[in-house]
Amino acid sequence: MDDVMFEAAPDLMGVFFVLFGVLFVGAVIFIIVVSVRNWRVAKQAGYDPLAMETQLAAQVGRSALLAPAGATAASSPAKSIEERLIELDGLHARGVISDGELAAARAKALEG
């Protein structure tokens, strides 16, 4: 009985390695496809895919919309309504803010 188990072990190991190899190759192909798609989307949005995280962090850091209310008035000169609307439209066009966020921010900017 033990001899039968030891004789079947090489066959089972071969099946295991083939299955592992197929799964590994599939995972590598999936990673490559996702990376290429992300690269293309970043390029179409006008970002450098290798520095996109840093570009977005800098953009968020400069955004007056995300700064605390008291900090914006003290740290930067007041923008005109037109400048704020242009900035909001740019953020929306780049996909940084959604349609709902754009509408809410435009309403707030128009209120003063």
Side-chain angles (χ1 to χ4, degrees), residues 2-110:
D2 290 335
D3 293 337
V4 173
M5 187 185 324
F6 286 118
E7 289 175 8
D11 293 335
L12 290 175
M13 290 299 290
V15 170
F16 173 75
F17 282 122
V18 168
L19 184 60
F20 178 78
V22 168
L23 290 174
F24 181 77
V25 169
V28 168
I29 289 171
F30 176 77
I31 290 169
I32 291 170
V33 168
V34 168
S35 297
V36 168
R37 290 184 72 191
N38 285 338
W39 185 278
R40 287 182 183 162
V41 168
K43 280 296 202 183
Q44 287 174 352
Y47 293 107
D48 176 7
L50 298 177
M52 189 166 88
E53 185 176 342
T54 304
Q55 288 174 328
L56 290 173
Q59 187 175 1
V60 167
R62 290 189 305 264
S63 175
L65 297 173
L66 299 176
T72 56
S75 63
S76 63
K79 293 183 180 178
S80 70
I81 292 176
E82 182 180 6
E83 290 172 329
R84 286 186 281 176
L85 294 176
I86 290 171
E87 180 182 5
L88 289 171
D89 289 338
L91 290 171
H92 181 258
R94 290 188 304 273
V96 177
I97 60 175
S98 68
D99 292 338
E101 292 169 325
L102 174 65
R106 285 181 68 87
K108 185 176 179 181
L110 291 171

